[in-house]
Amino acid sequence: MTPSDTAASFVLKPATQCALVDALVEHGWYVGHGAIDLGLCEALNRELLHRAAYNGLDEAGIGRGQQHLLRKDIRGDAIHWLDRESAAQRHYLDAMSELQQALNHALFLGLFEYEAHFAHYPPGAFYQRHVDSFRGRANRVISTVGYLTPNWPSDGGGEMVIYHPDDPSQEVARVVPEAGTFACFLSETIPHEVLPTHQPRTSIAGWFRRNASLGGVLDPAR
């Protein structure tokens, strides 16, 4: 599988892109099953698990700058920011760049950049309900999650729950973290959470942004 083949197999077909855009406009969120090439998922998952096994991940926190805190009672994953150091990372980020262009063309969002990190949730870890961008800041415009773990069992837990933007107590979708699934939603308005996982859970969390950042320093809570 060549880099061009991998990237092309991930980029959403025109009909799927239309469905994604329509879902974002109508509901504020979209979930596509089998959207990411499984060969690419396997390579990314292997890289992430290697980092997890050899202390190559950082504990994720909440808040930003001097307010950045480690709160295991709120968030229990460990992360590594994608930096294009591997072929698999480059393939994923190139595909996201193509998706960014498609979103800008369809919705005139003025998306400027994309940033993403690996996320590893050990058994028992979760992430309480939150939104990805402070209201009025609009640093992060559209959030994405690409799932990497193959053969996720029905009792594995770890689902991402998406809530209604006008009623945060109303669940509207529950996303099983199965390899190949791709989800995206409006960062400022869609509350979501990760339920406790019963086995190691791997994914890539990412954000399309309107403004530049340096090392994530300007970002709202992750």
Side-chain angles (χ1 to χ4, degrees):
M1 183 165 51
T2 67
S4 60
D5 291 337
T6 303
S9 64
F10 172 83
V11 175
L12 301 173
K13 296 181 175 64
T16 307
Q17 288 183 0
C18 290
L20 185 153
V21 169
D22 289 345
L24 285 177
V25 172
E26 183 174 356
H27 305 295
W29 58 272
Y30 170 84
V31 177
H33 302 285
I36 312 174
D37 178 80
L38 291 180
L40 178 56
C41 286
E42 180 181 0
L44 290 165
N45 191 52
R46 186 166 56 246
E47 180 178 347
L48 174 48
L49 291 178
H50 179 82
R51 286 189 169 277
Y54 291 94
N55 299 317
L57 301 173
D58 298 314
E59 287 187 286
I62 61 170
R64 68 188 192 279
Q66 294 182 345
Q67 285 73 47
H68 185 262
L69 299 171
L70 296 179
R71 289 286 304 273
K72 289 292 187 181
D73 57 324
I74 296 177
R75 178 180 187 179
D77 58 323
I79 68 172
H80 175 76
W81 289 94
L82 270 60
D83 52 15
R84 305 184 70 89
E85 68 178 329
S86 69
Q89 288 190 36
R90 292 191 292 273
H91 298 168
Y92 189 89
L93 292 173
D94 287 347
M96 291 276 72
S97 179
E98 293 188 29
L99 180 57
Q100 176 181 317
Q101 294 177 31
L103 290 168
N104 278 337
H105 179 76
L107 299 177
F108 305 99
L109 293 175
L111 302 175
F112 180 75
E113 66 175 2
Y114 179 77
E115 60 182 3
H117 64 60
F118 285 125
H120 179 270
Y121 286 76
F126 56 90
Y127 194 163
Q128 289 186 0
R129 185 168 55 195
H130 63 286
V131 294
D132 284 349
S133 181
F134 296 136
R135 287 189 177 274
R137 288 286 300 273
N139 300 57
R140 294 171 171 176
V141 180
I142 295 178
S143 302
T144 70
V145 186
Y147 294 97
L148 306 178
T149 313
N151 304 314
W152 192 263
S154 58
D155 60 352
E159 297 94 341
M160 180 175 70
V161 181
I162 299 174
Y163 294 94
H164 194 284
D166 298 324
D167 182 2
S169 66
Q170 180 184 344
E171 179 181 327
V172 296
R174 186 169 290 209
V175 185
V176 176
E178 173 70 21
T181 298
F182 178 74
C184 62
F185 49 89
L186 300 180
S187 302
E188 190 178 74
T189 59
I190 300 298
H192 57 286
E193 70 173 319
V194 176
L195 299 180
T197 185
H198 303 147
Q199 67 174 45
R201 175 191 188 275
T202 55
S203 62
I204 294 177
W207 299 269
F208 291 108
R209 301 171 54 93
R210 282 203 182 103
N211 65 322
S213 67
L214 179 61
V217 172
L218 298 181
D219 294 341
R222 298 190 178 94

